């Protein structure tokens, strides 16, 4: 089945990675490391506690003795060597601030710290002095996102660093970088993609499903065991994890079935789903011009004129109907529940106007030049009250029965 990977096309634009941890923060980390070795650690709790925001992104730990002290560690494991004693201690300390706040371009994941919806996993594996951890994950029935962190000695690059050799030859990786990864559910291979964060030793991995010919929605069950395997440069043994996953309850679904036509091209919006972290849109484009069809992009706007951040998506032709390209597109959640949503379609300008592939043309602000097709715009009402209730889900309202 012919598929269109919107994620791959988006990566052509490229994004800069965040810089290094400041020396002042690094010095503070060393002081905290020294303190950790002399303080008793309490056992991990499955109940997340609310914490104060901090501008330094990484772990925050609760250390208890006669009194309770909250310590924020900025840029944890940002290239610094950590002793085995400290590394073992960190596993037993309850996670307070969510590392999902490092997802700079994803509002839904950033809000997990306040909502308490992320599950504390605490899985880890160590080979040749390098430790991979999966401290937390979240699954909303549409996408599964998990944090992967790394620590170890003599690591020269980030967890997702890749060294291009040019001329189409295979890329190289610095020691300790992830060069391969795959995921399975009940023996079935799943799509897994990696996202960089502002911490070079922390990445976010997301699980996606391949589009089927009969069911054009998420095929993941409500609960399952996820098997993940990572390969790290310079480490012979693979890092293996088996993690139980359960869906966060709560979603609002609207069946739309609205269509717009323009010059023989037909755009149909069939369904939209809202969860506390994701907005999923199911749509289709029917056209005899396949080149035009594959160039078309989409945006989702709320009633305040805000554009939702694009997360990813796939398009696939249904068997027996080559003219219809069906899409499953994911966007961020909205900051506030809207009363209506607007779907916009546009054609991005290409650097090479004669080509339908390659880089996009940018304006003076570094933004893609978009040619909107107003005739294909679809505006539709949504249940604002129900979506607002969904967005207000917190650790109190979700219950404390999660394993």
């Amino acid at each position: 089945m012919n598929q269109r990977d919107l994620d791959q096309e988006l990566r052509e634009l490229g994004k800069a990675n965040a810089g290094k941890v400041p020396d002042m923060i690094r010095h503070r980390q060393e002081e905290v490391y020294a303190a950790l070795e002399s303080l008793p650690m309490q056992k991990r709790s499955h109940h997340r506690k609310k914490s104060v925001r901090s501008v330094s992104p990484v772990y925050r730990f609760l250390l208890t003795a006669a009194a309770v002290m909250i310590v924020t560690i900025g840029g944890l494991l940002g290239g610094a060597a950590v002793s085995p004693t400290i590394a073992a201690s960190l596993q037993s300390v309850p996670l307070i601030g969510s590392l999902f706040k490092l997802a700079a371009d994803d509002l839904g994941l950033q809000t997990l710290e306040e909502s308490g919806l992320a599950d504390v996993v605490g899985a880890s594996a160590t080979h040749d002095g390098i430790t991979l951890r999966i401290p937390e994950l979240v699954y909303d029935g549409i996408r599964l996102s998990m944090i992967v962190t790394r620590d170890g000695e003599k690591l020269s690059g980030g967890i997702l660093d890749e060294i291009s050799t040019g001329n189409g030859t295979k890329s190289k990786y610095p020691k300790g970088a992830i060069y391969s990864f795959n995921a399975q559910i009940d023996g079935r291979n799943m799509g897994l993609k990696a996202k960089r964060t502002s911490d070079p030793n922390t990445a976010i991995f997301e699980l996606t499903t391949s589009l089927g010919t009969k069911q054009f929605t998420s095929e993941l069950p409500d609960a399952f065991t996820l098997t993940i395997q990572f390969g790290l440069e310079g480490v012979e043994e693979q890092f293996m994890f088996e993690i139980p996953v359960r869906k966060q309850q709560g979603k609002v679904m609207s069946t739309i079935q609205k269509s717009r036509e323009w010059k023989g091209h037909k755009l149909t919006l069939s369904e939209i789903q809202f969860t506390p972290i994701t907005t999923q849109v199911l749509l289709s484009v029917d056209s005899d011009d396949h080149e035009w069809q594959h160039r078309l992009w989409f945006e989702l706007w709320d009633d305040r004129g805000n554009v939702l951040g694009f997360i990813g998506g796939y398009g696939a032709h249904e068997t027996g109907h080559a003219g219809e390209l069906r899409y499953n597109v994911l966007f961020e959640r909205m900051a506030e529940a809207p009363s209506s949503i607007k779907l916009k379609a546009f054609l991005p300008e290409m650097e090479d106007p004669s080509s339908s592939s390659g880089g996009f043309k940018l304006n003076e602000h570094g933004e893609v030049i978009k040619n909107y097709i107003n005739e294909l715009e679809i505006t539709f009402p949504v249940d604002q009250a129900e979506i607002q209730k969904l967005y207000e889900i917190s650790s109190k309202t979700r219950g404390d029965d999660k394993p």
Side-chain angles (χ1 to χ4, degrees), residues 127-128 130 132 150 153-163 170-180 230-239:
H127 300 302
D128 295 348
I130 299 177
L132 279 191
R150 177 198 68 175
E153 297 183 356
K154 299 179 180 179
L155 302 177
S156 59
I159 189 172
L160 294 180
D161 278 5
E162 183 176 347
I163 304 170
K170 190 176 180 180
S171 297
K172 295 182 178 180
Y173 302 85
K175 180 182 178 181
I178 295 176
Y179 67 83
S180 69
F230 295 98
L232 268 65
E233 184 67 27
V235 181
E236 183 175 351
E237 193 166 355
Q238 296 283 299
F239 290 75

Side-chain angles (χ1 to χ4, degrees), residues 6-127:
L6 298 179
D7 302 328
Q8 180 65 38
E9 295 181 22
L10 183 66
R11 282 194 291 272
E12 293 176 0
L13 295 177
K15 291 187 178 180
N17 196 18
K20 298 180 179 179
V21 177
D23 292 339
M24 180 180 67
I25 299 299
R26 177 75 64 202
H27 177 69
R28 179 58 181 153
Q29 286 176 215
E30 293 171 355
E31 294 177 352
V32 174
Y33 294 154
L36 283 173
E37 293 194 272
S38 62
L39 287 172
M41 301 296 177
Q42 72 176 48
K43 294 182 179 180
R44 178 182 295 273
S45 167
H46 291 294
H47 305 295
R48 187 180 300 280
K49 300 182 181 179
K50 201 167 186 178
S51 63
V52 179
R53 284 177 175 267
S54 170
V55 295
S56 299
V58 186
Y59 284 125
R60 283 185 280 181
F61 299 98
L62 183 64
L63 308 177
T64 58
V68 177
M69 176 177 66
I70 294 180
V71 179
T72 301
I73 304 177
L76 179 62
L77 307 179
V82 181
S83 74
T85 302
I86 296 176
S89 298
L90 294 182
Q91 286 185 275
S92 64
V93 182
L95 180 63
I96 305 302
S98 173
L99 290 181
F100 278 115
K101 66 183 176 182
L102 299 178
D105 298 324
D106 196 319
L107 179 62
L109 297 184
Q110 288 177 356
T111 57
L112 289 173
E113 181 169 7
E114 288 74 27
S115 67
L117 290 175
D119 288 323
V120 175
V121 178
S124 68
T126 301
H127 300 302

Side-chain angles (χ1 to χ4, degrees), residues 317-380:
H317 286 285
E318 284 285 344
T319 302
H321 192 178
E324 183 182 32
L325 185 59
R326 306 185 69 191
Y327 286 94
N328 184 336
V329 190
L330 303 185
F331 298 92
E332 296 178 12
R333 61 159 279 175
M334 289 161 285
E336 297 180 36
S339 60
S340 64
I341 292 289
K342 182 180 296 182
L343 177 70
K344 290 189 175 186
F346 68 91
L347 295 172
E349 288 194 18
M350 312 304 293
E351 287 183 342
D352 180 0
S354 63
S355 175
S356 60
S357 61
F360 297 119
K361 188 176 181 179
L362 308 179
N363 61 21
E364 63 272 16
H365 304 294
E367 302 168 340
V368 176
I369 298 176
K370 306 171 184 178
N371 297 308
Y372 290 97
I373 304 173
N374 296 330
E375 292 82 358
L376 296 180
E377 185 175 293
I378 300 175
T379 301
F380 52 95

